[in-house]
Amino acid sequence: MIVKSLDEIIGTEDETKGETWESRRFILQKDGVGFSLNDTIIKAGTESYFWYKNHIEAVYCIEGEGEIEKVETGEVWQLKAGSMYLLNDHDKHKLRARTEMRMVCVFNPPLVGTETHNEEGYYPLLTE
């Protein structure tokens, strides 16, 4: 059994930050369960471009408001607490946060923990 609290993660190597986001990583590849689980903050008033070409990501918004745009089609969906989106086609997308957003993110394959977005917006596929 694995039990962790957010307080145990903040300020450690399991917290990763970008210009527009912060990711606190609860479950990683080393835990051996086939997925990873993050608690992610998207900063208010920001726009982020992401593309997970190596991962499938499911995201559940638990706080805040914003929108997601599918880059290829220009389709836009509004997000608020209680909204979920699944990037099941490795969708290139823009995430715009009107207010600070808090998201629960699940990745498959699981993240190692040291990933940050590269210049193309995706996480490299790390194995260790």
Side-chain angles (χ1 to χ4, degrees), residues 21 49-57 59 85 87 89-93 105 107 111 117 120-123:
W21 55 273
Y49 169 79
F50 300 122
W51 172 38
Y52 298 113
K53 81 175 198 175
N54 298 311
H55 299 85
I56 300 295
E57 182 191 27
V59 178
Y85 62 88
L87 302 167
D89 288 325
H90 304 279
D91 309 282
K92 294 178 181 180
H93 59 287
C105 308
F107 283 90
L111 300 178
H117 299 93
E120 294 183 64
Y122 66 86
Y123 288 148

Side-chain angles (χ1 to χ4, degrees), residues 3 12 21 34 41 65 96 110 113 123 125:
V3 178
T12 72
W21 55 273
I41 300 294
E65 294 183 4
R96 297 180 191 97
Y123 288 148
L125 188 57

Side-chain angles (χ1 to χ4, degrees), residues 4-42:
K4 294 181 183 179
S5 73
L6 187 58
D7 289 340
E8 294 173 281
I9 294 170
I10 292 176
T12 72
E13 64 183 15
D14 290 336
E15 180 180 42
T16 303
K17 298 179 181 184
E19 191 173 314
T20 61
W21 55 273
E22 300 173 11
S23 181
R24 292 78 68 96
R25 295 165 176 189
F26 277 86
I27 300 172
L28 295 166
Q29 183 184 48
K30 66 184 176 186
D31 296 312
V33 296
F35 64 91
S36 57
L37 178 72
N38 303 340
D39 179 315
T40 299
I41 300 294
I42 306 295

